[in-house]
Amino acid sequence: MTEMFSTLFSQNEVQGPPGSSSLGFGPGKPPPPLPQNQVSMAGQIPPQLGDEGPALRKPGAMNEPFYLLRELPVGNELTGNTNLITHYNLEHAYNKFCGKKVKEKLSNFLPELPGMIDCPGTQDGSSLRSLIDKPPVCGNSFSPLTGALLTGFRLHTGPLPEQYRLMHIQPPKKKSKHKHKHHRLQDPLPQETPSDSDPKKKKKKRDDDPDRKKKKKDKKKKKNRHSPDHPGLAGSQPNSNSLR
Amino acid sequence: MAERFDNLEEHLEKFIENIRQLGIIVSDFQPSSQAGLNQKLNFMISGLQDIEKCRQQLHEINVPLEVFEYIDQGRNPQLYTKECLERALARNEQVKGKIDTMTKFKSLLISELGKVFPEEMGKYKAIHGDDAPS
């Protein structure tokens, strides 16, 4: 193989088989001299299609043994060789998001948002995608409702029909893991005899008391949430005390 | 920049709380609650006005559409950030591996060509010797 390459570049003619000259890899004949027009045209060769790299060398260099030798590209300072996270000072962000475990649900990101936010938005038509696909009418100014307009908001007394009751549905909270564990441990021992040792009884009582306390706390929280006097998220409304 | 987000966040939280209280009033409406209902409705409109004012400060903020897909699926949008960073790091490592491999190949090729074609490689180095990349 090296002999083939050396014959291409060497000036000495090597007599090969007569058929080989038709393939173009014949004996080491030097290329015929280009006519003057072609030389000048070669000097004015425009950048080839898709030529994002460096331009061809000057015509004088074409007499070198290397054909179509290009300039080496200018090296960029920023390549994949550098750690781009440290380059753009994203180490803190990387450790924050990738070092710790990020919780899966949306409610973990927005814990104070009421309602069932972990459900897909397509189920109840509250998806952000639908807002992009069908943007609402904008541009109108917001004006307060006058007395005449407020007459349209006179409601009937009494509770809402069940089909419209969505506000009170809250996602179940997962604080009961420890409770379930205690209950599961105690389930196989439904009725202990008085002959049981005292430490077991004491453990039972201790287990019951925190459970009762937790249940009471949950009930209190639920009551407080449903009352309009609850302080809320970032401060209450100024006239919330008017509600009973 | 964080102040603009804090301002918007505060307005949104107040708006959501107002809507929640409105829902409680409506769920079991009493005649005495009519005044409170009217007040809440006007608070809702003023809340929308405040959010509209915040919009002007945030018109240059761009949010990737993929984040909306996470939110619509009920997933934490921080997972998108995490996955972006992980993908960027993986891609960075992949490209670095390619660069290292090509660098090694180049040095190996030059050395081998220098052994087989010493004269030609001498001429090549004479041409590219000054501008050869490190």
Side-chain angles (χ1 to χ4, degrees):
Chain A
M1 186 177 171
T2 54
E3 289 175 356
M4 227 165 75
F5 280 107
S6 59
T7 53
L8 281 173
F9 290 112
S10 65
Q11 295 292 328
N12 297 326
E13 294 187 2
V14 175
Q15 294 294 331
S20 63
S21 60
S22 60
L23 295 173
F25 288 103
K29 292 180 183 177
L34 292 172
Q36 290 294 325
N37 295 332
Q38 289 188 9
V39 167
S40 60
M41 286 293 289
Q44 297 170 7
I45 293 172
Q48 297 174 3
L49 292 173
D51 184 15
E52 300 173 352
L56 287 172
R57 287 184 172 270
K58 294 179 180 177
M62 290 181 67
N63 294 328
E64 298 289 330
F66 306 109
Y67 182 61
L68 290 177
L69 186 63
R70 292 177 179 272
E71 295 279 350
L72 287 174
V74 178
N76 291 327
E77 291 182 0
L78 188 64
T79 61
N81 214 14
T82 57
N83 188 339
L84 296 171
I85 288 180
T86 52
H87 179 80
Y88 288 108
N89 298 320
L90 291 171
E91 289 170 338
H92 177 71
Y94 184 80
N95 291 329
K96 180 185 168 187
F97 290 105
C98 302
K100 303 172 191 176
K101 190 178 177 183
V102 178
K103 292 186 181 177
E104 180 75 21
K105 292 188 179 179
L106 185 59
S107 56
N108 297 120
F109 180 67
L110 298 167
E112 295 170 346
L113 208 61
M116 301 279 283
I117 60 172
D118 293 332
C119 297
T122 50
Q123 286 182 359
D124 54 359
S126 65
S127 65
L128 293 168
R129 192 74 200 181
S130 61
L131 203 65
I132 295 165
D133 294 335
K134 294 179 185 177
V137 176
C138 297
N140 296 329
S141 59
F142 296 104
S143 53
L145 295 170
T146 59
L149 292 169
L150 283 170
T151 54
F153 290 95
R154 285 182 184 169
L155 306 179
H156 293 288
T157 57
L160 273 176
E162 288 184 4
Q163 56 187 341
Y164 300 115
R165 286 182 192 176
L166 298 171
M167 285 290 297
H168 300 286
I169 298 170
Q170 290 288 332
K173 292 205 170 176
K174 292 184 180 177
K175 289 183 182 178
S176 59
K177 277 184 182 176
H178 296 291
K179 282 186 188 177
H180 285 307
K181 281 183 184 175
H182 286 295
H183 285 301
R184 281 173 191 169
L185 288 170
Q186 292 173 5
D187 280 338
L189 302 169
Q191 292 175 357
E192 290 186 356
T193 59
S195 62
D196 287 336
S197 59
D198 290 335
K200 284 187 183 177
K201 285 185 183 177
K202 285 180 183 177
K203 278 183 185 177
K204 251 191 164 180
K205 284 182 183 177
R206 281 175 193 171
D207 290 332
D208 286 335
D209 288 337
D211 289 339
R212 285 179 187 174
K213 284 180 184 175
K214 282 178 185 176
K215 283 181 184 175
K216 283 182 184 176
K217 280 181 185 175
D218 285 339
K219 283 183 185 175
K220 281 183 185 176
K221 279 181 185 176
K222 282 181 185 175
K223 281 182 186 176
N224 289 332
R225 273 185 189 163
H226 289 300
S227 67
D229 292 333
H230 186 63
L233 302 165
S236 58
Q237 296 292 342
N239 294 323
S240 64
N241 291 329
S242 62
L243 297 171
R244 293 181 182 178
Chain B
M1 187 173 171
E3 293 174 355
R4 297 182 285 174
F5 289 126
D6 291 340
N7 195 24
L8 176 65
E9 192 177 337
E10 188 182 338
H11 285 303
L12 284 170
E13 285 174 351
K14 283 183 182 174
F15 183 77
I16 289 165
E17 177 60 20
N18 186 52
I19 297 290
R20 192 186 70 82
Q21 292 177 8
L22 197 65
I24 292 165
I25 295 169
V26 168
S27 63
D28 193 3
F29 187 74
Q30 302 298 326
S32 57
S33 308
Q34 185 65 51
L37 176 72
N38 295 343
Q39 194 180 54
K40 293 291 176 190
L41 288 169
N42 281 319
F43 277 141
M44 187 174 71
I45 292 165
S46 63
L48 287 170
Q49 285 173 335
D50 294 335
I51 292 166
E52 177 75 14
K53 286 174 191 171
C54 294
R55 183 184 162 194
Q56 295 167 4
Q57 298 173 351
L58 298 164
H59 65 277
E60 58 192 16
I61 302 293
N62 295 317
V63 180
L65 284 175
E66 289 85 1
V67 180
F68 289 170
E69 291 176 9
Y70 277 68
I71 295 169
D72 286 343
Q73 291 167 13
R75 298 177 68 197
N76 193 342
Q78 289 177 336
L79 288 170
Y80 172 75
T81 311
K82 179 186 172 184
E83 287 174 17
C84 271
L85 287 165
E86 286 174 347
R87 267 186 277 140
L89 188 67
R91 187 77 179 162
N92 197 170
E93 288 175 354
Q94 189 184 18
V95 171
K96 186 179 185 306
K98 284 182 182 176
I99 290 171
D100 290 342
T101 307
M102 294 300 283
T103 307
K104 285 178 188 173
F105 172 71
K106 183 196 168 188
S107 60
L108 195 65
L109 183 66
I110 285 173
S111 68
E112 291 297 321
L113 282 172
K115 291 174 191 174
V116 178
F117 305 116
E119 293 177 0
E120 287 79 10
M121 287 309 295
K123 291 175 184 174
Y124 176 80
K125 283 179 183 175
I127 295 166
H128 271 161
D130 292 337
D131 53 358
S134 59

